[in-house]
Amino acid sequence: MRIEKKEIHEKWIEYTLTNDVGMSVSVLDLGGIITKIMVPDRDGNIENVVLGYRNYEDYQANPNYFGAIIGRVAGRIQGASFNLNGETYKLAANDGENHLHGGPRGLHQLVWEASTFESDEEVGLTLSHRSVDLDSGYPGNVEIKVTYTLNNQNQLILDYAAKSDQTTPLTLTNHSYFNLSGNLKNTVHNHQVTIDSSKFVELDSNLIPTGMLLNVSETSFDFRSGRALEEGFNNDFEQNKVAGSGYDHYFIFDNAQEHQANLLDPDSGRVMLVNTNEPGMVMYTSNTMEEGLKLAEGSSRKHLGVCFETQASPASLHHEGFPTVILNAGEDYNKQTIFTFLIED
């Protein structure tokens, strides 16, 4: 196990966590951005399985949120406002009339305080930040810690901890784009996805939840037994078309299977298992990604990666029946997501 530190343009530090069995994860103190995850394929080739920029300067703006911690609230908040305890809070509108991923000055653009730890079995990085009252319009002073742990079972464990002195919305996630083909050799069309979910959130033409939960049965959103992502890319189902020929939807977990989700690339043999105590996740398949961005291993294009954004639902701020994002004053926020990388037998 080891940790390496690299200074980036005298502004940021990139920490690379390496285990004893050939996996490594690189993370910037800027936005907690995961820049690389290096894992072997079935032939032992160790390659990167997340999207990242070729030039580190591009992480400063990072409009695609590559690899970043997202918050205070991940996802879209309708009308860039919400009501809480009789008060109306106005947020920055950075997605048309709506508020997206914590706004233009969200957690993804901050330099976090960093500390590392190491043992015989794991190596890790803890990032800390204090978000002050009315930061981006949200109430409460919130102490946040996000910990990345890599162990010898090729598990990347993300632990999110927070506490606020006022009741406030909070749901944090990581916005890595996974592509298990390795070094962006292919798009994710042939990636097989399984999601333990029988219901997903309906979106309108602005990708805002309508307040309706839809049953996945007999639709391209039924991933309970696994299916290729391209089945949704090429589907005439209205919800696939709304998202730009793909997925950008919140799935509520049934918690009936061993894993909440998994991802398989049949060509490389790489598998990623997802376990979390979050109530659901947004699966986004880079439907609107612009072409020609200079990425570490090539140029960006549509459907080049898939995000598994484990979180609660910001739709709960405007509709009943959705997993709440409200954190009560003084309450401990403790969420965990584990990404386990394996090789298909």
Side-chain angles (χ1 to χ4, degrees), residues 17-314:
L17 315 175
T18 303
N19 68 11
D20 295 331
V21 291
M23 177 175 170
S24 67
V25 180
S26 297
V27 183
L28 286 175
D29 57 358
L30 171 69
I33 293 167
I34 296 174
T35 58
K36 285 187 176 66
I37 298 179
M38 307 293 289
V39 293
D41 67 5
R42 65 162 59 92
D43 297 319
N45 299 308
I46 296 176
E47 297 172 311
N48 183 26
V49 295
V50 292
L51 276 61
Y53 289 111
R54 184 182 309 168
N55 302 314
Y56 282 91
E57 294 94 333
D58 293 336
Y59 285 114
Q60 183 73 67
N62 199 10
N64 293 286
Y65 305 93
F66 287 142
I69 298 169
I70 303 298
R72 292 190 188 184
V73 171
R76 291 176 173 84
I77 296 179
Q78 179 180 345
S81 68
F82 61 90
N83 297 316
L84 181 63
N85 296 334
E87 296 281 338
T88 298
Y89 292 90
K90 296 287 189 181
L91 308 173
N94 62 323
D95 185 58
E97 298 178 350
N98 307 305
H99 177 86
L100 176 63
H101 289 336
R105 297 176 61 191
L107 300 179
H108 64 290
Q109 290 189 313
L110 304 172
V111 175
W112 294 61
E113 293 184 21
S115 62
T116 59
F117 56 92
E118 185 176 353
S119 73
D120 291 341
E121 294 299 321
E122 61 184 28
V123 64
L125 173 71
T126 297
L127 299 175
S128 304
H129 174 69
R130 185 175 190 267
S131 181
V132 299
D133 184 33
L134 297 181
D135 189 5
S136 295
Y138 293 98
N141 298 294
V142 185
E143 302 287 345
I144 304 171
K145 286 190 176 182
V146 180
T147 300
Y148 300 76
T149 304
L150 175 64
N151 62 29
N152 281 328
Q153 288 71 52
N154 279 1
Q155 292 181 317
L156 173 61
I157 304 167
L158 275 61
D159 286 296
Y160 304 87
K163 184 174 281 190
S164 175
D165 61 2
Q166 297 182 46
T167 296
T168 191
L170 186 78
T171 186
L172 309 174
T173 196
N174 178 271
H175 208 286
S176 289
Y177 291 71
F178 296 99
N179 183 323
L180 300 187
S181 70
N183 292 348
L184 304 185
K185 285 193 290 294
N186 301 305
T187 63
V188 295
H189 280 70
N190 293 328
H191 279 41
Q192 305 282 326
V193 172
T194 305
I195 305 175
D196 182 12
S197 173
S198 57
K199 290 186 171 61
F200 70 100
V201 174
E202 182 182 59
L203 301 178
D204 67 17
S205 59
N206 294 314
L207 302 176
I208 295 296
T210 65
M212 294 289 292
L213 288 174
L214 302 182
N215 196 300
V216 301
S217 296
E218 299 182 9
T219 76
S220 52
F221 285 71
D222 190 351
F223 288 93
R224 290 173 293 184
S225 298
R227 72 190 315 143
L229 286 174
E230 66 180 345
E231 294 181 37
F233 299 167
N234 303 317
N235 202 286
D236 288 332
F237 185 45
E238 183 61 28
Q239 284 297 297
N240 288 124
K241 292 194 289 185
V242 159
S245 299
Y247 302 90
D248 194 2
H249 294 72
Y250 187 79
F251 292 79
I252 295 178
F253 295 135
D254 293 342
N255 291 317
Q257 301 182 23
E258 182 180 0
H259 312 289
Q260 279 72 41
N262 63 61
L263 183 66
L264 160 68
D265 174 44
D267 294 333
S268 70
R270 292 186 179 98
V271 177
M272 185 180 76
L273 309 178
V274 181
N275 290 88
T276 185
N277 61 357
E278 291 281 16
M281 75 172 191
V282 173
M283 182 171 71
Y284 172 58
T285 50
S286 49
N287 320 305
T288 57
M289 183 179 293
E290 60 269 45
E291 293 190 359
L293 296 176
K294 294 180 180 178
L295 305 183
E297 297 90 10
S299 294
S300 64
R301 56 195 188 278
K302 187 173 182 175
H303 298 148
L304 192 56
V306 55
C307 302
F308 286 168
E309 303 163 55
T310 55
Q311 60 177 95
S313 174

